[in-house]
Amino acid sequence: MTQDVRRPFGRVITAMVTPMHADHSIDVDGVSRLAEYLVDEQGNDALVINGTAGEASTTSDSEKETILRAVVEAVGGRAKILAGVGTNNTAHTIELARQAEKAGVHGLLVVTPYYNKPPQSGLLKHFTTVADSTGLPMLVYDIPHRSGIPIATETMLRLAEHERIVGVKDAKVDLVAQGTVLRRHPDFAYYSGEDAATLPVLAVGGVGVVGTSTHLNGNETKAMIEAFDSGDHSAALQLHLRLLPLFTGIFRTQGTILVKAAMNVRGLPGGPVRLPLADATEAELAQLRSDCADAGVPL
């Protein structure tokens, strides 16, 4: 794995779903096989494990550790592994971060604390305290439509000063805020947290994507990013437009639901989702097939 200072975790990162058996227990073998598929066949440079897509809100701490160790063993030698460790309890987040470090991961993804709605001073202290608790590089995750609050630009500027806070998974997609941060911290890594916003994020200095549709279109998404990097912006735009129905279609309901449905159709590890999520309906699966076909990625 080569290291690019501007891309601490590569170009294409998938927030991996957690395969489960029919009884909703963790399919540990399936976890390993899906990780191998994403790295070896879908071209992913890195994986986020135990994130939103991985149903981290309904897996126990011991399950999270088991999942991480399975992925690290399966692909940790040829891809970067990031552990989603964010909670709305700083002490618990630190416990998960240290557990992940012991499991051998390469980095952390820490979401904005949800529900509590802390002030910006609390966000700053939360993220820096977690970053100080391990020796791992860390991405913060700015997703106000889930967490309830955004990371303010001034807060992000201060976070970027921390030696281990190396970037952000940006699902807010405020391109002006992104540019403001990058003017002062040009090596701060902006990863798009919205699949469909990847190309615009690249255009103002972003480095890649932490994706969901990349379970299905990782190679095509990487080709889009590489085309942009090489200066072939026309080719990048054409790939963006082609893939747009899948970039957006995977979120017609919760992305985890549709990714697992797609994995099941492809004969890959997926299984059911845990409540309160609900498995895809026949109508939702039919629409996903249509969206995939429109994007040139047959299901």
Side-chain angles (χ1 to χ4, degrees), residues 105-247:
V105 305
H106 304 99
L108 305 173
L109 179 70
V110 182
V111 71
T112 309
Y114 39 84
Y115 189 76
N116 311 47
K117 299 187 77 171
Q120 292 297 312
S121 59
L123 289 186
L124 180 65
K125 186 66 173 176
H126 172 81
F127 286 124
T128 56
T129 299
V130 175
D132 287 338
S133 71
T134 79
L136 295 171
M138 180 176 122
L139 297 180
V140 298
Y141 185 8
D142 192 7
I143 184 166
H145 58 274
R146 282 187 181 269
S147 68
I149 52 169
I151 302 174
T153 303
E154 184 57 40
T155 303
M156 194 71 78
L157 285 165
R158 295 184 65 184
L159 291 172
E161 295 171 356
H162 195 289
E163 63 178 349
R164 280 187 295 281
I165 300 177
V166 298
V168 56
K169 176 184 177 182
D170 178 22
K172 182 171 61 183
V173 194
D174 182 338
L175 301 181
V176 174
Q178 177 184 336
T180 301
V181 173
L182 290 176
R183 285 190 71 228
R184 284 177 46 185
H185 299 283
D187 291 332
F188 196 65
Y190 264 83
Y191 286 94
S192 176
E194 291 284 348
D195 298 22
T198 303
L199 187 58
V201 167
L202 292 173
V204 288
V207 299
V209 61
V210 181
T212 302
S213 65
T214 46
H215 283 84
L216 301 166
N217 62 15
N219 291 312
E220 294 89 344
T221 300
K222 179 175 277 190
M224 179 186 74
I225 297 170
E226 290 176 342
F228 181 87
D229 287 347
S230 70
D232 193 348
H233 296 166
S234 176
L237 177 59
Q238 289 305 309
L239 279 165
H240 165 77
L241 295 175
R242 185 193 123 194
L243 295 170
L244 195 58
L246 183 52
F247 283 158

